[in-house]
Amino acid sequence: MASIPLHPQSRYDSVARLLHWVIATLVILNIIGGLAHDALEGIVNVMPLHKSTGITVFFLTVLRIVWRLVNPPPPLPSNMASWEKAASHATHASFYLLMVLVPLTGWIMVSAGTRPLDWFGLFPIPKFGVTKGDAIVDISGEGHEILAILFGVLALIHIAAALRHHFLLKDTILRRMAG
C-alpha cells in the first residue's frame, strides 16, 4: 500500500519532536533504572544518575509545556474516531502531569535525605525544606513509585497505539512525531 502523504502543517515542529524523543528516552531509561537499582546495587550506583536524569526530565518538561503553549500541536486527523481523539488528549494530558509529578515527588523525597543532590556531579541542586516524617515526604515516597509504574504502563500503551496506527491503520499519526 502506498504511503499517505503528510502535509507539513500536520507534523509537529522540530523543537517539539526533539523534546518528545529526548524526554521519552530519558523517562524510559529512568523507569528501568529506578526499577533495577536494587538489583544493580554493588555493581553500579544507579541512583545519582537516576536523580540527575529525573531533574533533567522535570526541566525539559517545563520547557516543553511552554513550547507547546506558544506552538500548539497540529490538529488530529478529521477522520479519526472521536473516542481515539479523546483517548489521545487524555493520554497526552496524563503524560504532562506524570512528567511533572514523578520527578517532583522524587525531588521532594530526596530533599528529606542526607545525601547531596547534584546534577551529574556538575553543580548542586537545591533541596526543598522538608524532613523525614513530613506528610509530603511520605506521600511523595509512595507516590513516586506508583506514578512511575503508571507512567511505564501508559508509555507501553502509547507505543502500542502509535504502532497500531502505523502498521495496521497505515495512517500518518506516528509520522507526525517521527520526523
Side-chain angles (χ1 to χ4, degrees):
M1 178 176 197
S3 181
I4 299 170
L6 185 61
H7 190 280
Q9 292 170 336
S10 64
R11 173 173 284 169
Y12 283 86
D13 64 70
S14 59
V15 173
R17 290 193 315 265
L18 176 66
L19 288 169
H20 172 275
W21 292 109
V22 169
I23 293 171
T25 301
L26 293 176
V27 164
I28 290 168
L29 291 173
N30 236 23
I31 290 171
I32 292 168
L35 293 172
H37 84 275
D38 284 337
L40 295 172
E41 193 174 327
I43 300 168
V44 63
N45 187 1
V46 174
M47 291 319 290
L49 182 61
H50 180 81
K51 294 171 190 177
S52 294
T53 302
I55 295 291
T56 303
V57 167
F58 179 81
F59 285 105
L60 286 176
T61 298
V62 171
L63 176 62
R64 186 168 177 191
I65 290 168
V66 170
W67 186 262
R68 186 172 174 134
L69 291 172
V70 175
N71 301 279
L76 291 168
S78 58
N79 63 342
M80 195 172 181
S82 59
W83 72 266
E84 285 182 302
K85 288 181 181 181
S88 174
H89 292 305
T91 299
H92 285 96
S94 298
F95 274 139
Y96 281 103
L97 191 61
L98 290 166
M99 288 185 299
V100 169
L101 287 179
V102 173
L104 189 58
T105 55
W107 193 352
I108 292 168
M109 185 174 50
V110 167
S111 292
T114 57
R115 295 189 179 153
L117 178 60
D118 59 50
W119 192 72
F120 299 105
L122 297 175
F123 56 85
I125 301 290
K127 290 184 170 187
F128 295 109
V130 295
T131 58
K132 287 188 189 274
D134 290 351
I136 189 74
V137 174
D138 294 338
I139 292 167
S140 292
E142 289 297 318
H144 185 72
E145 187 173 341
I146 293 166
L147 292 172
I149 291 168
L150 176 63
F151 205 163
V153 170
L154 190 61
L156 290 173
I157 293 168
H158 180 67
I159 292 165
L163 294 174
R164 173 184 169 265
H165 277 279
H166 189 72
F167 291 110
L168 295 178
L169 301 179
K170 299 188 185 305
D171 62 22
T172 62
I173 292 296
L174 178 63
R175 292 190 296 142
R176 291 161 35 103
M177 187 55 82

